[in-house]
Amino acid sequence: MILERLKECDGFSKTECIIARYLLENGSTVRDASVERPAEFTESSPATIVRLCKKLGAQGYRDFRVAFVAEWEQSRHSVRIDANMPFDRDDSYEQVAWKLGNLAANAINNAISGFDQQQVDRVVKILADSDVVNVFTVGTSIPAALDFKTKLVRIGRQVNVDQDAFVQRGYAISAPAHSCNILISLSGETEMIVSYARILQARGRHTLAITADPFSRLASICDEVICLNSNESDSFSRKIETFSSFDATHFVLDCLYSWLFQTDYDRNMRHARESQRTLMELTSDSR
């Protein structure tokens, strides 16, 4: 980390420490400044600035400037974001964008920290061996589920996702023995989703819960549980929108797809390319 090394000044000369302090205190001016500007304000020379840049691992001042500004901007906006109310009335558009970006990154990092490798191995094996993948969810998680379906269909997998509650119930009742059934509920208490889990449990079908509450009814019923850790309320009365939980859900589903893809990488790559080629040759809509 460039900022940390500049703060520590470890192994720096007295002049280099002065330059480091200037850079840290004037980060906003570095983006468009030539090497002469910090040299002038620190009463040093451009050659001294360049030597410091190389000491920090850059090829020269220009490379250093790009990396430094990126880190400086990130540190300036890297604050704890309330997942329920991620931005304020007086925030600028730029501040809103940075806060949402940090919120998404936090949601993804929290999801990664919750992965258990042995559990991942079990889940991926069930996915790989399944004849059908059923996804049960409601509300804002449906777009993420539909995107997951699109990805799996492109590599030749049978996936069922539907917004209609009666159709979802039908998927639960008719789920074949070799099926992987993914149930998504932030609270883990969505009555409809819990009822599908009970149907699947009664029929001995494998179930995977994606939820923020490992102690919820849904989690207690399902065979495997992946926790989102989104730090988001399950009540719309206490939040603006489902930014964090949506990002986390989408990310977990993307991981499931990618892990499955890797179980037979070459075959899945061939299938994806053949599907695209067929689409281009036989249909007018190649999107």
Side-chain angles (χ1 to χ4, degrees):
M1 294 286 287
I2 293 174
L3 295 185
E4 289 301 317
R5 294 192 61 186
L6 288 173
K7 290 174 184 177
E8 293 170 357
C9 282
D10 186 31
F12 288 9
S13 67
K14 182 178 179 180
T15 300
E16 288 172 340
C17 287
I18 293 173
I19 296 169
R21 186 164 60 250
Y22 169 82
L23 292 170
L24 292 170
E25 292 174 354
N26 299 274
S28 60
T29 68
V30 175
R31 183 195 303 273
D32 302 312
S34 66
V35 69
E36 284 77 17
R37 179 164 184 168
E40 177 185 352
F41 278 89
T42 58
E43 298 182 348
S44 60
S45 68
T48 303
I49 303 289
V50 172
R51 280 198 299 272
L52 176 59
C53 294
K54 291 182 176 180
K55 183 178 288 189
L56 293 167
Q59 295 296 314
Y61 176 73
R62 288 186 179 181
D63 290 337
F64 164 83
R65 184 174 60 184
V66 172
F68 169 81
V69 169
E71 277 194 30
W72 189 85
E73 288 284 359
Q74 184 176 5
S75 69
R76 186 165 69 96
H77 296 282
S78 183
V79 296
R80 182 174 177 81
I81 307 299
D82 183 347
N84 299 308
M85 305 291 287
F87 51 86
D88 302 316
R89 180 189 293 107
D90 298 325
D91 284 343
S92 67
Y93 293 154
E94 182 189 17
Q95 287 173 315
V96 171
W98 274 102
K99 286 184 174 182
L100 291 180
N102 275 300
L103 188 65
N106 289 339
I108 290 171
N109 288 334
N110 286 339
I112 292 173
S113 67
F115 289 153
D116 175 86
Q117 189 56 56
Q118 291 183 338
Q119 181 192 55
V120 167
D121 291 341
R122 293 193 302 269
V123 169
V124 174
K125 187 176 188 310
I126 293 294
L127 266 174
D129 293 342
S130 64
D131 298 323
V132 175
V133 178
N134 293 316
V135 184
F136 304 89
T137 190
V138 295
T140 55
S141 294
I142 288 176
L146 289 171
D147 181 65
F148 178 65
K149 174 180 179 177
T150 300
K151 288 181 171 73
L152 289 187
V153 166
R154 285 175 180 161
I155 58 173
R157 308 295 300 210
Q158 175 65 48
V159 187
N160 294 320
V161 178
D162 203 285
Q163 300 184 53
D164 189 287
F166 291 102
V167 174
Q168 289 194 48
R169 184 179 302 167
Y171 290 150
I173 293 171
S174 62
H178 295 291
S179 61
C180 180
N181 300 280
I182 302 171
L183 301 103
I184 306 170
S185 168
L186 176 63
S187 67
E189 299 293 341
T190 308
E191 200 61 50
M192 193 182 305
I193 304 302
V194 171
S195 71
Y196 303 151
R198 286 179 175 146
I199 292 171
L200 292 161
Q201 181 189 47
R203 302 191 66 242
R205 302 304 186 242
H206 190 274
T207 51
L208 166 64
I210 299 178
T211 179
D213 187 353
F215 305 107
S216 62
R217 285 187 295 161
L218 180 63
S220 68
I221 294 171
C222 291
D223 300 306
E224 304 284 355
V225 180
I226 293 180
C227 285
L228 300 180
N229 298 320
S230 66
N231 298 316
E232 185 179 277
S233 172
D234 59 354
S235 171
F236 270 98
S237 65
R238 295 193 294 275
K239 64 185 176 184
I240 294 178
E241 259 300 342
T242 57
F243 296 113
S244 184
S245 59
F246 178 83
D247 290 332
T249 300
H250 207 155
F251 174 71
V252 168
L253 291 176
D254 276 349
C255 284
L256 290 175
Y257 161 76
S258 301
W259 293 332
L260 177 62
F261 196 107
Q262 281 205 308
T263 61
D264 197 345
Y265 187 93
D266 292 336
R267 177 240 171 234
N268 288 326
M269 186 64 75
R270 284 195 305 272
H271 195 286
R273 288 172 176 168
E274 288 170 3
S275 296
Q276 182 64 22
R277 190 182 306 115
T278 301
L279 193 64
M280 294 289 289
E281 292 174 353
L282 301 180
T283 70
S284 59
D285 183 0
S286 60
R287 291 176 296 174

